């Protein structure tokens, strides 16, 4: 196992630098469509450059939403960085505050270190396999009672219609949130469950998956299997996440 303390410091440095870039470009961003019709902007590219420049010193391969390593390049890698330099491009373009930076270190198809940068609030959540989850420089330390109060509040997307609303209308109270900040809501005891239907990409979910599990939660697909973060096309199955593993709903 590599020195995860050193690599987490590097990820935090990269996340902070990317956040500066995203704040700088918010008023001068331009958007265009990629080949898959998803939006990308100048800010995505600049953030990606900032993160990649810093992570390059680790001598670990970097795979980003904006610079995807082919499966042939990464299928036999023991480690690689998996990043989304701007998760929530649509919100960012609308000058909303619900966007973030995502960095994860993948080891044998599974994240072992990750960071979510809540840019607008200047808050970074991060951990590796042998640490608790940190919020900036302090361990995130909420009581089980705080999570208990929100166990029946579910999260779904503002910008994607993936049938989460059906789930929520039939089972739980719902809250709309953009980007991977949904995972922050689980970490911060603002919601208890996050169902995702449809095919998210690995770079959207890896960082949040790891942090939720490090904080005593759980995330798996609807066959109750862990997600594979090094599949050929990076497409993930539908899944469900719980802020605390003991809060699992019956049937899930």
């Amino acid at each position: 196992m590599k020195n995860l303390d050193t690599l987490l410091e590097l990820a935090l440095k990269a996340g902070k630098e990317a956040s500066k870039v995203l704040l700088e470009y918010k008023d001068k961003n331009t958007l265009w469509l990629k080949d898959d019709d998803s939006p990308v902007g100048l800010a995505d590219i600049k953030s990606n450059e900032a993160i990649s420049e810093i992570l390059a010193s680790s001598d670990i391969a970097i795979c980003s939403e904006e610079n995807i390593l082919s499966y042939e390049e990464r299928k036999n890698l023991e480690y690689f960085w998996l990043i989304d330099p701007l998760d929530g491009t649509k919100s960012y373009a609308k000058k909303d505050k619900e966007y973030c930076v995502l960095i994860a270190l993948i080891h044998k198809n599974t994240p072992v270190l990750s960071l979510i940068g809540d840019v607008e609030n200047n808050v970074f959540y991060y951990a590796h396999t042998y640490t608790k989850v940190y919020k900036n420089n302090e361990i995130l330390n909420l009581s089980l009672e705080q999570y208990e109060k929100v166990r029946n509040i579910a999260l779904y997307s503002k910008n994607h219609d993936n049938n989460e609303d059906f789930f929520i209308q039939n089972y739980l109270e719902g809250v709309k949130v953009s980007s991977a900040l949904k995972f922050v809501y689980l970490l911060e005891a603002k919601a208890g469950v996050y169902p995702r239907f449809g095919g998210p990409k690995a770079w959207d979910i890896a960082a949040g998956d790891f942090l939720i599990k490090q904080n005593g939660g759980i995330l798996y697909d609807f066959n109750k299997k862990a997600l594979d973060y090094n599949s050929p096309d990076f497409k993930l199955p539908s899944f469900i996440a719980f802020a605390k593993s003991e809060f699992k709903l019956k049937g899930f």
Side-chain angles (χ1 to χ4, degrees):
M1 181 71 74
K2 291 185 178 291
N3 187 326
L4 296 182
D5 288 334
T6 299
L7 294 175
L8 188 57
E9 289 177 7
L10 199 63
L12 184 57
K13 180 180 178 182
K16 289 181 176 180
E17 189 61 32
S19 292
K20 292 177 185 176
V21 169
L22 292 176
L23 291 172
E24 176 188 351
Y25 277 86
K26 198 167 184 183
D27 290 326
K28 51 185 177 182
N29 192 35
T30 55
L31 281 180
W32 59 93
L33 293 179
K34 294 188 284 190
D35 291 341
D36 63 358
D37 289 331
S38 63
V40 65
L42 182 61
D44 300 70
I45 303 303
K46 294 297 184 180
S47 176
N48 186 66
E49 290 173 353
I51 294 171
S52 298
E53 182 176 349
I54 292 170
L55 295 185
S57 66
S58 68
D59 292 324
I60 296 172
I62 301 168
C63 181
S64 163
E65 180 180 8
E66 310 312 333
N67 188 17
I68 301 171
L69 290 178
S70 71
Y71 188 57
E72 286 301 312
E73 292 175 289
R74 59 184 159 80
K75 66 180 180 180
N76 295 318
L77 291 177
E78 185 177 8
Y79 290 92
F80 65 92
W81 293 105
L82 183 61
I83 66 175
D84 189 339
L86 171 51
D87 187 55
T89 298
K90 291 179 181 178
S91 291
Y92 181 87
K94 291 186 247 182
K95 294 185 169 53
D96 288 346
K97 295 184 176 182
E98 292 181 352
Y99 64 93
C100 54
V101 174
L102 304 175
I103 301 175
L105 180 66
I106 307 301
H107 177 234
K108 297 180 179 178
N109 297 25
T110 302
V112 294
L113 174 161
S114 76
L115 169 145
I116 296 176
D118 180 355
V119 178
E120 291 284 340
N121 292 306
N122 193 30
V123 179
F124 299 87
Y125 300 84
Y126 53 94
H128 67 59
T129 298
Y130 304 112
T131 72
K132 303 270 190 187
V133 175
Y134 280 79
K135 177 183 178 181
N136 288 345
N137 297 319
E138 301 290 334
I139 291 175
L140 186 67
N141 188 24
L142 301 179
S143 69
L144 188 60
E145 288 75 19
Q146 288 173 279
Y147 291 102
E148 177 70 44
K149 290 177 182 177
V150 299
R151 66 183 298 172
N152 292 324
I153 297 177
L155 298 161
Y156 65 116
S157 177
K158 286 183 178 179
N159 295 314
H160 301 284
D161 182 11
N162 289 308
N163 297 315
E164 290 97 334
D165 54 344
F166 173 82
F167 176 91
I168 290 164
Q169 288 167 10
N170 285 274
Y171 292 96
L172 302 164
E173 176 185 351
V175 177
K176 287 187 176 183
V177 181
S178 294
S179 79
L181 290 178
K182 298 179 191 71
F183 292 109
V184 169
Y185 272 59
L186 296 179
L187 292 170
E188 290 279 15
K190 294 180 179 179
V193 58
Y194 168 31
R196 175 68 188 263
F197 301 91
K201 293 289 191 174
W203 47 74
D204 298 319
I205 307 301
D209 182 346
F210 180 74
L211 292 179
I212 291 304
K213 290 175 180 174
Q214 284 300 105
N215 198 50
I218 193 168
L219 184 152
Y220 46 49
D221 68 19
F222 284 95
N223 293 313
K224 298 186 178 179
K225 293 181 179 179
L227 306 187
D228 179 356
Y229 289 100
N230 194 18
S231 65
D233 61 1
F234 277 132
K235 190 173 180 180
L236 299 176
S238 301
F239 66 82
I240 190 164
F242 299 91
K244 292 294 177 182
S245 58
E246 52 264 58
F247 294 167
K248 291 182 292 184
L249 300 175
K250 185 177 180 180
F252 291 94

